[in-house]
Amino acid sequence: MKAEKIFFVCMMIFSQIICISRMQAENFSFKYQTGDVYRILSTVRENVIVNGQFSHQAEILNRISVTITDTDEDGNGTHDAVFMTSEMALGRTGQTFSWGNEYKSIFLRSRLGKYTMDDSYFMPVVRDVPLFPDKELNVGDTWVAEGYEAHDLRMSFNLQTPYKVPFAATYTYQGTVPSQDGRILHQINCRYNMFFETPQKTPPDPNRSSGDISMSWEDYPVSTMGYSNQTIFWDNEIGQIDHYSEDFRIIIETAYGNTFEFKGTAQAEVDLIPQDTDSDENLTRVQDQIRDMGLQNTEVSVAEEGLTISIENIQFKADSAELEDSEKVKLRQIAEILSQFPDNDLLISGHTALAGTAEARQKLSEERAAAVAEYLVELGVKDKYHVFARGFGADKPVADNHTEAGKARNRRVEITIMDK
């Protein structure tokens, strides 16, 4: 009787274990919807070491805007993406990021995470991560999937296609964690090591043109090694990464015997940007608010990148990028309007009138845009990772530069509430 009771209890425990295991089983996949727009903000902090000597520390911000332009019956999604990269020296305070180099990419990604894209595109760098198996996974399950990194070495080594470094990534499903807003996220660890030797270049052919021969003697990467350890937080309800963190190290050795080492950490957030179909309503609402506030020389329009507030004849102290107190009052009022768009990044664009040299105009427009951006950060409208500054000099006038009234209009700063 006692033995039967023990057997019965054991069977009950075993059944509970089986039930819990089944409850935890998940089938992970990307869920693309045509028309969805999402933004990824990735911040990288790294040390750069050249030939064993410390070179510098850098903070790199990558902003990726993605539109799903099409989906097929298998659940694959066509992505139209713009990657923006901006870099600043690590440790500088009170700085906002300038709007840096842009890369456009168009690619297909399967519902399990596999990329299909042309070699004319250099972004994204890490591809086929995460790559899910087409089966249910329980907590503690592991799987291995191939991926690769694609580096843009056009500037440093004159390589005109992405430099691809393959790897095999090991994944572990570690269970669920709550998000700050109460959603259930699935924690997945991804680790991979890299060691890749570039195929040896062939000796120069004396019958080739001099240009071809010189190319054959250029410095190029002969080996790449390193590792990545990522923790991915996955939202399985929407079928997308919520955020992730990473520590990494990459070492590139070149044919000339140089070594370049990059070591640091990265983190990223992924946000679906709500597409407001009533852009005209937003335009009218903001126009009404600006009128009610009595703001002079301030106009609102809908531009390609989003709703844009243009402050014309903006006043800075003579020959500087220091805002006059009167403009700070105006920006504090505009900040009240910007606070109504908590999910949107801000892009600050500076413009000058046609005076001085082109180089001086460009520099001044960048500095004035940065001054406005930094003041908005100081006011707490956004943090520095969601406000960007750029300058156009006198390249985009809105009025005649031959009149004082026209020059005043061209001396402007535009604040764009980005919707992609």
Side-chain angles (χ1 to χ4, degrees):
M1 188 74 179
K2 185 176 180 181
E4 290 178 356
K5 187 174 182 180
I6 292 173
F7 176 77
F8 177 75
V9 170
C10 289
M11 288 300 296
M12 288 290 293
I13 293 173
F14 181 73
S15 298
Q16 289 174 354
I17 291 173
I18 293 295
C19 289
I20 292 171
S21 175
R22 287 175 178 169
M23 288 174 63
Q24 292 176 333
E26 295 285 347
N27 198 317
F28 297 114
S29 66
F30 288 87
K31 298 171 184 174
Y32 308 116
Q33 297 291 329
T34 301
D36 276 355
V37 177
Y38 61 91
R39 175 207 59 199
I40 305 169
L41 281 180
S42 167
T43 307
V44 179
R45 296 176 179 87
E46 66 180 13
N47 292 332
V48 181
I49 300 168
V50 180
N51 294 330
Q53 299 294 318
F54 175 79
S55 173
H56 64 279
Q57 290 182 310
E59 185 172 29
I60 303 165
L61 183 64
N62 301 297
R63 186 186 190 276
I64 307 153
S65 173
V66 182
T67 302
I68 306 299
T69 58
D70 192 23
T71 55
D72 62 25
E73 59 184 11
D74 295 323
N76 308 316
T78 301
H79 296 57
D80 190 326
V82 176
F83 295 74
M84 187 283 296
T85 300
S86 181
E87 182 174 342
M88 70 166 64
L90 194 63
R92 295 174 66 182
T93 58
Q95 299 288 324
T96 52
F97 285 90
S98 60
W99 190 260
N101 296 325
E102 287 188 2
Y103 302 80
K104 185 174 178 62
S105 291
I106 298 175
F107 53 88
L108 182 76
R109 194 170 190 186
S110 75
R111 66 181 184 86
L112 298 178
K114 183 76 174 178
Y115 282 82
T116 302
M117 60 190 304
D118 189 80
D119 274 349
S120 60
Y121 300 120
F122 288 84
M123 291 288 184
V125 173
V126 180
R127 302 178 185 178
D128 301 345
V129 173
L131 190 58
F132 297 115
D134 195 7
K135 65 178 183 180
E136 286 191 337
L137 296 168
N138 290 285
V139 174
D141 282 353
T142 64
W143 69 98
V144 177
E146 293 183 352
Y148 65 100
E149 293 191 1
H151 295 276
D152 183 1
L153 301 183
R154 285 175 292 182
M155 293 293 292
S156 51
F157 298 108
N158 198 28
L159 299 182
Q160 297 305 306
T161 56
Y163 176 66
K164 298 178 181 179
V165 181
F167 57 76
T170 299
Y171 297 87
T172 303
Y173 175 33
Q174 297 179 314
T176 60
V177 294
S179 68
Q180 291 183 345
D181 58 4
R183 290 175 295 120
I184 297 299
L185 302 178
H186 300 265
Q187 184 172 325
I188 300 166
N189 180 253
C190 170
R191 291 175 173 267
Y192 60 83
N193 295 315
M194 296 180 293
F195 183 79
F196 177 70
E197 293 184 323
T198 308
Q200 192 70 31
K201 286 195 173 185
T202 56
D205 183 346
N207 296 320
R208 294 181 183 176
S209 68
S210 59
D212 290 335
I213 293 174
S214 66
M215 279 289 293
S216 66
W217 289 104
E218 285 182 352
D219 198 14
Y220 66 95
V222 295
S223 69
T224 302
M225 63 193 78
Y227 67 82
S228 172
N229 179 23
Q230 300 180 24
T231 301
I232 299 167
F233 295 89
W234 179 263
D235 187 332
N236 209 33
E237 185 174 343
I238 66 172
Q240 184 56 266
I241 295 172
D242 182 82
H243 65 284
Y244 71 82
S245 60
E246 175 190 20
D247 60 89
F248 65 89
R249 184 186 184 194
I250 300 172
I251 301 174
I252 298 176
E253 296 180 341
T254 79
Y256 286 175
N258 297 309
T259 61
F260 299 89
E261 180 179 351
F262 308 88
K263 184 177 182 180
T265 61
Q267 58 185 20
E269 60 184 49
V270 182
D271 292 297
L272 186 68
I273 299 179
Q275 295 302 289
D276 194 337
T277 55
D278 293 325
S279 57
D280 290 340
E281 181 180 327
N282 279 336
L283 174 64
T284 301
R285 176 165 54 88
V286 173
Q287 285 174 331
D288 291 344
Q289 290 174 315
I290 285 175
R291 184 193 64 244
D292 294 343
M293 290 176 176
L295 297 179
Q296 301 297 313
N297 303 315
T298 306
E299 298 182 354
V300 190
S301 61
V302 176
E304 180 182 356
E305 293 159 321
L307 194 68
T308 298
I309 301 172
S310 179
I311 310 169
E312 297 178 354
N313 197 26
I314 187 166
Q315 299 297 304
F316 293 86
K317 294 183 179 179
D319 300 319
S320 78
E322 186 177 352
L323 284 160
E324 292 282 7
D325 290 342
S326 60
E327 300 307 307
K328 290 185 177 181
V329 172
K330 184 183 292 185
L331 287 172
R332 285 197 292 270
Q333 292 175 288
I334 291 175
E336 296 178 22
I337 297 172
L338 299 177
S339 66
Q340 300 168 25
F341 299 88
D343 299 325
N344 301 73
D345 294 337
L346 301 179
L347 178 57
I348 318 301
S349 304
H351 302 265
T352 67
L354 190 61
T357 65
E359 182 180 356
R361 293 192 298 267
Q362 180 62 32
K363 183 173 183 292
L364 187 60
S365 67
E366 292 173 359
E367 289 175 344
R368 289 181 169 179
V372 171
E374 288 173 16
Y375 189 63
L376 292 174
V377 171
E378 182 182 328
L379 291 174
V381 176
K382 304 279 183 185
D383 62 39
K384 72 174 186 177
Y385 301 104
H386 294 81
V387 182
F388 305 90
R390 66 181 177 186
F392 288 104
D395 293 344
K396 294 191 174 185
V398 293
D400 188 353
N401 270 303
H402 293 92
T403 67
E404 288 304 316
K407 288 180 180 180
R409 290 194 62 198
N410 290 331
R411 287 191 295 269
R412 70 192 190 281
V413 169
E414 296 170 339
I415 303 171
T416 299
I417 303 165
M418 303 185 73
D419 60 10
K420 60 182 178 180

Tab-separated table of all heavy atoms in Angstrom, residues 216-256:
chain	number	residue	atom	x	y	z
A	216	SER	N	46.521	44.950	-56.326
A	216	SER	CA	46.918	43.660	-55.793
A	216	SER	C	47.907	43.798	-54.647
A	216	SER	O	48.079	42.871	-53.865
A	216	SER	CB	47.537	42.802	-56.901
A	216	SER	OG	48.766	43.377	-57.334
A	217	TRP	N	48.560	44.948	-54.535
A	217	TRP	CA	49.541	45.155	-53.467
A	217	TRP	C	48.980	45.954	-52.305
A	217	TRP	O	49.702	46.243	-51.350
A	217	TRP	CB	50.768	45.874	-54.030
A	217	TRP	CG	51.586	44.989	-54.922
A	217	TRP	CD1	51.639	45.021	-56.276
A	217	TRP	CD2	52.445	43.918	-54.515
A	217	TRP	NE1	52.468	44.046	-56.755
A	217	TRP	CE2	52.985	43.350	-55.685
A	217	TRP	CE3	52.792	43.377	-53.270
A	217	TRP	CZ2	53.875	42.274	-55.656
A	217	TRP	CZ3	53.668	42.306	-53.245
A	217	TRP	CH2	54.205	41.772	-54.428
A	218	GLU	N	47.713	46.306	-52.365
A	218	GLU	CA	47.142	47.070	-51.264
A	218	GLU	C	47.030	46.229	-50.001
A	218	GLU	O	46.883	45.011	-50.055
A	218	GLU	CB	45.752	47.607	-51.645
A	218	GLU	CG	45.800	48.770	-52.597
A	218	GLU	CD	44.410	49.291	-52.905
A	218	GLU	OE1	43.439	48.648	-52.484
A	218	GLU	OE2	44.308	50.342	-53.550
A	219	ASP	N	47.063	46.911	-48.844
A	219	ASP	CA	46.850	46.237	-47.573
A	219	ASP	C	45.416	45.709	-47.529
A	219	ASP	O	44.494	46.357	-48.024
A	219	ASP	CB	47.090	47.226	-46.430
A	219	ASP	CG	47.314	46.524	-45.107
A	219	ASP	OD1	47.545	45.303	-45.119
A	219	ASP	OD2	47.263	47.210	-44.066
A	220	TYR	N	45.236	44.538	-46.950
A	220	TYR	CA	43.908	43.970	-46.839
A	220	TYR	C	43.875	43.043	-45.618
A	220	TYR	O	44.924	42.582	-45.142
A	220	TYR	CB	43.522	43.204	-48.109
A	220	TYR	CG	44.343	41.964	-48.370
A	220	TYR	CD1	43.893	40.705	-47.956
A	220	TYR	CD2	45.571	42.036	-49.019
A	220	TYR	CE1	44.636	39.569	-48.184
A	220	TYR	CE2	46.333	40.899	-49.248
A	220	TYR	CZ	45.871	39.668	-48.831
A	220	TYR	OH	46.611	38.530	-49.046
A	221	PRO	N	42.689	42.765	-45.076
A	221	PRO	CA	42.615	41.894	-43.901
A	221	PRO	C	42.933	40.448	-44.270
A	221	PRO	O	42.343	39.896	-45.203
A	221	PRO	CB	41.162	42.050	-43.440
A	221	PRO	CG	40.415	42.498	-44.647
A	221	PRO	CD	41.376	43.317	-45.458
A	222	VAL	N	43.873	39.840	-43.550
A	222	VAL	CA	44.198	38.435	-43.810
A	222	VAL	C	43.483	37.511	-42.830
A	222	VAL	O	43.268	36.337	-43.124
A	222	VAL	CB	45.724	38.189	-43.756
A	222	VAL	CG1	46.426	38.938	-44.874
A	222	VAL	CG2	46.293	38.587	-42.405
A	223	SER	N	43.128	38.037	-41.653
A	223	SER	CA	42.381	37.211	-40.712
A	223	SER	C	41.530	38.086	-39.805
A	223	SER	O	41.879	39.244	-39.532
A	223	SER	CB	43.315	36.338	-39.863
A	223	SER	OG	44.070	37.134	-38.971
A	224	THR	N	40.425	37.531	-39.378
A	224	THR	CA	39.523	38.204	-38.448
A	224	THR	C	39.123	37.202	-37.372
A	224	THR	O	38.770	36.062	-37.681
A	224	THR	CB	38.266	38.713	-39.161
A	224	THR	OG1	38.644	39.596	-40.212
A	224	THR	CG2	37.353	39.457	-38.194
A	225	MET	N	39.231	37.623	-36.128
A	225	MET	CA	38.851	36.752	-35.018
A	225	MET	C	38.111	37.572	-33.972
A	225	MET	O	38.209	38.803	-33.950
A	225	MET	CB	40.083	36.081	-34.411
A	225	MET	CG	41.082	37.046	-33.784
A	225	MET	SD	42.670	36.273	-33.405
A	225	MET	CE	43.413	36.251	-35.055
A	226	GLY	N	37.386	36.877	-33.107
A	226	GLY	CA	36.685	37.605	-32.061
A	226	GLY	C	35.530	36.803	-31.514
A	226	GLY	O	35.384	35.598	-31.778
A	227	TYR	N	34.697	37.473	-30.730
A	227	TYR	CA	33.543	36.824	-30.136
A	227	TYR	C	32.425	37.833	-29.931
A	227	TYR	O	32.639	39.052	-29.920
A	227	TYR	CB	33.896	36.170	-28.795
A	227	TYR	CG	34.245	37.151	-27.692
A	227	TYR	CD1	33.257	37.798	-26.947
A	227	TYR	CD2	35.573	37.442	-27.402
A	227	TYR	CE1	33.577	38.702	-25.953
A	227	TYR	CE2	35.910	38.353	-26.404
A	227	TYR	CZ	34.903	38.976	-25.684
A	227	TYR	OH	35.221	39.875	-24.708
A	228	SER	N	31.222	37.327	-29.747
A	228	SER	CA	30.062	38.131	-29.377
A	228	SER	C	29.236	37.331	-28.394
A	228	SER	O	29.029	36.122	-28.572
A	228	SER	CB	29.225	38.480	-30.608
A	228	SER	OG	28.002	39.092	-30.227
A	229	ASN	N	28.775	37.987	-27.346
A	229	ASN	CA	27.882	37.376	-26.364
A	229	ASN	C	26.671	38.288	-26.223
A	229	ASN	O	26.781	39.386	-25.692
A	229	ASN	CB	28.598	37.205	-25.026
A	229	ASN	CG	27.695	36.598	-23.966
A	229	ASN	OD1	26.717	35.924	-24.281
A	229	ASN	ND2	28.009	36.848	-22.709
A	230	GLN	N	25.532	37.845	-26.722
A	230	GLN	CA	24.335	38.672	-26.747
A	230	GLN	C	23.236	38.081	-25.865
A	230	GLN	O	23.060	36.863	-25.807
A	230	GLN	CB	23.794	38.788	-28.181
A	230	GLN	CG	24.751	39.405	-29.169
A	230	GLN	CD	24.147	39.492	-30.569
A	230	GLN	OE1	22.930	39.513	-30.731
A	230	GLN	NE2	25.001	39.544	-31.577
A	231	THR	N	22.501	38.966	-25.217
A	231	THR	CA	21.279	38.584	-24.521
A	231	THR	C	20.123	39.291	-25.205
A	231	THR	O	20.060	40.525	-25.230
A	231	THR	CB	21.328	38.970	-23.035
A	231	THR	OG1	22.454	38.329	-22.420
A	231	THR	CG2	20.054	38.527	-22.332
A	232	ILE	N	19.228	38.501	-25.791
A	232	ILE	CA	18.129	39.024	-26.589
A	232	ILE	C	16.839	38.881	-25.792
A	232	ILE	O	16.555	37.814	-25.229
A	232	ILE	CB	18.012	38.253	-27.921
A	232	ILE	CG1	19.302	38.401	-28.740
A	232	ILE	CG2	16.806	38.723	-28.724
A	232	ILE	CD1	19.397	37.433	-29.908
A	233	PHE	N	16.058	39.941	-25.737
A	233	PHE	CA	14.753	39.912	-25.080
A	233	PHE	C	13.681	39.989	-26.171
A	233	PHE	O	13.545	41.010	-26.839
A	233	PHE	CB	14.633	41.048	-24.071
A	233	PHE	CG	15.600	40.910	-22.922
A	233	PHE	CD1	16.868	41.454	-22.995
A	233	PHE	CD2	15.239	40.197	-21.785
A	233	PHE	CE1	17.772	41.304	-21.954
A	233	PHE	CE2	16.129	40.042	-20.731
A	233	PHE	CZ	17.408	40.603	-20.815
A	234	TRP	N	12.964	38.900	-26.329
A	234	TRP	CA	12.071	38.694	-27.474
A	234	TRP	C	10.610	38.844	-27.057
A	234	TRP	O	10.170	38.266	-26.068
A	234	TRP	CB	12.317	37.301	-28.038
A	234	TRP	CG	11.442	36.946	-29.200
A	234	TRP	CD1	10.273	36.229	-29.171
A	234	TRP	CD2	11.661	37.280	-30.571
A	234	TRP	NE1	9.755	36.105	-30.438
A	234	TRP	CE2	10.584	36.751	-31.317
A	234	TRP	CE3	12.656	37.985	-31.243
A	234	TRP	CZ2	10.488	36.899	-32.692
A	234	TRP	CZ3	12.562	38.135	-32.617
A	234	TRP	CH2	11.497	37.595	-33.325
A	235	ASP	N	9.859	39.634	-27.843
A	235	ASP	CA	8.419	39.773	-27.642
A	235	ASP	C	7.733	38.843	-28.637
A	235	ASP	O	7.645	39.157	-29.829
A	235	ASP	CB	7.995	41.231	-27.870
A	235	ASP	CG	6.530	41.480	-27.514
A	235	ASP	OD1	5.727	40.533	-27.605
A	235	ASP	OD2	6.189	42.629	-27.165
A	236	ASN	N	7.268	37.699	-28.149
A	236	ASN	CA	6.704	36.708	-29.064
A	236	ASN	C	5.293	37.048	-29.513
A	236	ASN	O	4.791	36.494	-30.486
A	236	ASN	CB	6.717	35.322	-28.416
A	236	ASN	CG	6.830	34.223	-29.449
A	236	ASN	OD1	7.474	34.409	-30.493
A	236	ASN	ND2	6.219	33.077	-29.197
A	237	GLU	N	4.655	37.970	-28.807
A	237	GLU	CA	3.300	38.363	-29.207
A	237	GLU	C	3.327	39.156	-30.508
A	237	GLU	O	2.486	38.944	-31.389
A	237	GLU	CB	2.644	39.182	-28.103
A	237	GLU	CG	1.191	39.528	-28.403
A	237	GLU	CD	0.502	40.219	-27.243
A	237	GLU	OE1	1.017	40.143	-26.114
A	237	GLU	OE2	-0.550	40.838	-27.481
A	238	ILE	N	4.292	40.070	-30.627
A	238	ILE	CA	4.403	40.852	-31.864
A	238	ILE	C	5.428	40.263	-32.819
A	238	ILE	O	5.555	40.720	-33.963
A	238	ILE	CB	4.736	42.330	-31.570
A	238	ILE	CG1	6.133	42.468	-30.953
A	238	ILE	CG2	3.695	42.960	-30.690
A	238	ILE	CD1	6.600	43.902	-30.825
A	239	GLY	N	6.203	39.259	-32.362
A	239	GLY	CA	7.183	38.617	-33.220
A	239	GLY	C	8.341	39.521	-33.572
A	239	GLY	O	8.696	39.673	-34.747
A	240	GLN	N	8.978	40.114	-32.550
A	240	GLN	CA	10.071	41.052	-32.787
A	240	GLN	C	10.937	41.148	-31.533
A	240	GLN	O	10.458	40.914	-30.407
A	240	GLN	CB	9.508	42.435	-33.147
A	240	GLN	CG	10.536	43.484	-33.520
A	240	GLN	CD	11.434	43.050	-34.659
A	240	GLN	OE1	12.520	42.524	-34.430
A	240	GLN	NE2	10.986	43.257	-35.900
A	241	ILE	N	12.207	41.529	-31.726
A	241	ILE	CA	13.087	41.816	-30.590
A	241	ILE	C	12.573	43.065	-29.886
A	241	ILE	O	12.207	44.045	-30.529
A	241	ILE	CB	14.533	42.030	-31.073
A	241	ILE	CG1	15.116	40.747	-31.666
A	241	ILE	CG2	15.425	42.518	-29.924
A	241	ILE	CD1	16.467	40.930	-32.323
A	242	ASP	N	12.566	43.030	-28.568
A	242	ASP	CA	12.237	44.223	-27.788
A	242	ASP	C	13.503	45.028	-27.501
A	242	ASP	O	13.538	46.238	-27.698
A	242	ASP	CB	11.567	43.819	-26.478
A	242	ASP	CG	11.152	45.020	-25.657
A	242	ASP	OD1	10.079	45.586	-25.942
A	242	ASP	OD2	11.913	45.419	-24.739
A	243	HIS	N	14.539	44.350	-27.015
A	243	HIS	CA	15.832	44.987	-26.806
A	243	HIS	C	16.882	43.900	-26.638
A	243	HIS	O	16.564	42.723	-26.484
A	243	HIS	CB	15.818	45.929	-25.594
A	243	HIS	CG	15.594	45.268	-24.280
A	243	HIS	ND1	14.348	44.830	-23.863
A	243	HIS	CD2	16.445	44.945	-23.262
A	243	HIS	CE1	14.431	44.289	-22.672
A	243	HIS	NE2	15.698	44.333	-22.280
A	244	TYR	N	18.162	44.307	-26.684
A	244	TYR	CA	19.226	43.336	-26.458
A	244	TYR	C	20.461	44.051	-25.933
A	244	TYR	O	20.596	45.283	-26.029
A	244	TYR	CB	19.559	42.543	-27.730
A	244	TYR	CG	20.269	43.314	-28.814
A	244	TYR	CD1	21.656	43.512	-28.781
A	244	TYR	CD2	19.574	43.821	-29.904
A	244	TYR	CE1	22.306	44.213	-29.784
A	244	TYR	CE2	20.215	44.522	-30.909
A	244	TYR	CZ	21.586	44.713	-30.851
A	244	TYR	OH	22.218	45.409	-31.846
A	245	SER	N	21.371	43.262	-25.349
A	245	SER	CA	22.665	43.776	-24.906
A	245	SER	C	23.750	42.829	-25.404
A	245	SER	O	23.481	41.654	-25.691
A	245	SER	CB	22.717	43.902	-23.383
A	245	SER	OG	22.521	42.638	-22.772
A	246	GLU	N	24.986	43.348	-25.498
A	246	GLU	CA	26.065	42.551	-26.090
A	246	GLU	C	27.403	43.006	-25.531
A	246	GLU	O	27.611	44.188	-25.248
A	246	GLU	CB	26.054	42.731	-27.614
A	246	GLU	CG	27.201	42.038	-28.340
A	246	GLU	CD	27.311	42.424	-29.812
A	246	GLU	OE1	26.757	43.488	-30.183
A	246	GLU	OE2	27.967	41.692	-30.574
A	247	ASP	N	28.314	42.057	-25.356
A	247	ASP	CA	29.725	42.409	-25.218
A	247	ASP	C	30.485	41.691	-26.327
A	247	ASP	O	30.124	40.572	-26.716
A	247	ASP	CB	30.269	42.061	-23.829
A	247	ASP	CG	30.158	40.580	-23.499
A	247	ASP	OD1	31.095	39.827	-23.826
A	247	ASP	OD2	29.135	40.178	-22.925
A	248	PHE	N	31.523	42.327	-26.849
A	248	PHE	CA	32.166	41.819	-28.062
A	248	PHE	C	33.647	42.176	-28.100
A	248	PHE	O	34.121	43.084	-27.392
A	248	PHE	CB	31.484	42.390	-29.311
A	248	PHE	CG	31.649	43.890	-29.454
A	248	PHE	CD1	32.736	44.432	-30.120
A	248	PHE	CD2	30.716	44.752	-28.899
A	248	PHE	CE1	32.889	45.811	-30.233
A	248	PHE	CE2	30.861	46.128	-28.991
A	248	PHE	CZ	31.950	46.658	-29.676
A	249	ARG	N	34.353	41.469	-28.953
A	249	ARG	CA	35.755	41.783	-29.254
A	249	ARG	C	36.032	41.314	-30.668
A	249	ARG	O	35.692	40.176	-31.028
A	249	ARG	CB	36.692	41.077	-28.275
A	249	ARG	CG	38.168	41.436	-28.475
A	249	ARG	CD	39.047	40.592	-27.561
A	249	ARG	NE	40.451	40.977	-27.651
A	249	ARG	CZ	41.461	40.253	-27.182
A	249	ARG	NH1	41.198	39.083	-26.587
A	249	ARG	NH2	42.705	40.660	-27.290
A	250	ILE	N	36.635	42.174	-31.472
A	250	ILE	CA	36.996	41.843	-32.855
A	250	ILE	C	38.439	42.272	-33.086
A	250	ILE	O	38.830	43.395	-32.733
A	250	ILE	CB	36.078	42.549	-33.874
A	250	ILE	CG1	34.624	42.140	-33.671
A	250	ILE	CG2	36.511	42.221	-35.306
A	250	ILE	CD1	33.648	42.930	-34.512
A	251	ILE	N	39.248	41.390	-33.661
A	251	ILE	CA	40.632	41.704	-34.013
A	251	ILE	C	40.820	41.418	-35.498
A	251	ILE	O	40.532	40.315	-35.967
A	251	ILE	CB	41.630	40.872	-33.195
A	251	ILE	CG1	41.441	41.127	-31.697
A	251	ILE	CG2	43.067	41.216	-33.593
A	251	ILE	CD1	42.288	40.223	-30.820
A	252	ILE	N	41.309	42.419	-36.237
A	252	ILE	CA	41.593	42.263	-37.661
A	252	ILE	C	43.104	42.385	-37.868
A	252	ILE	O	43.719	43.367	-37.442
A	252	ILE	CB	40.859	43.329	-38.502
A	252	ILE	CG1	39.340	43.183	-38.352
A	252	ILE	CG2	41.255	43.216	-39.974
A	252	ILE	CD1	38.557	44.265	-39.067
A	253	GLU	N	43.699	41.373	-38.490
A	253	GLU	CA	45.114	41.417	-38.862
A	253	GLU	C	45.211	41.643	-40.368
A	253	GLU	O	44.467	41.046	-41.140
A	253	GLU	CB	45.806	40.112	-38.481
A	253	GLU	CG	45.845	39.841	-36.993
A	253	GLU	CD	46.545	38.541	-36.663
A	253	GLU	OE1	46.676	37.690	-37.576
A	253	GLU	OE2	46.965	38.368	-35.506
A	254	THR	N	46.146	42.505	-40.788
A	254	THR	CA	46.259	42.848	-42.202
A	254	THR	C	47.537	42.289	-42.824
A	254	THR	O	48.455	41.859	-42.119
A	254	THR	CB	46.242	44.375	-42.394
A	254	THR	OG1	47.536	44.917	-42.075
A	254	THR	CG2	45.195	45.029	-41.505
A	255	ALA	N	47.577	42.318	-44.142
A	255	ALA	CA	48.730	41.799	-44.879
A	255	ALA	C	50.008	42.561	-44.555
A	255	ALA	O	51.109	42.010	-44.654
A	255	ALA	CB	48.446	41.856	-46.375
A	256	TYR	N	49.902	43.820	-44.158
A	256	TYR	CA	51.076	44.614	-43.808
A	256	TYR	C	51.501	44.420	-42.353
A	256	TYR	O	52.400	45.101	-41.869
A	256	TYR	CB	50.798	46.105	-44.047
A	256	TYR	CG	50.791	46.517	-45.499
A	256	TYR	CD1	50.458	47.827	-45.860
A	256	TYR	CD2	51.112	45.625	-46.514
A	256	TYR	CE1	50.454	48.226	-47.191
A	256	TYR	CE2	51.093	46.007	-47.839
A	256	TYR	CZ	50.768	47.312	-48.183
A	256	TYR	OH	50.754	47.706	-49.492
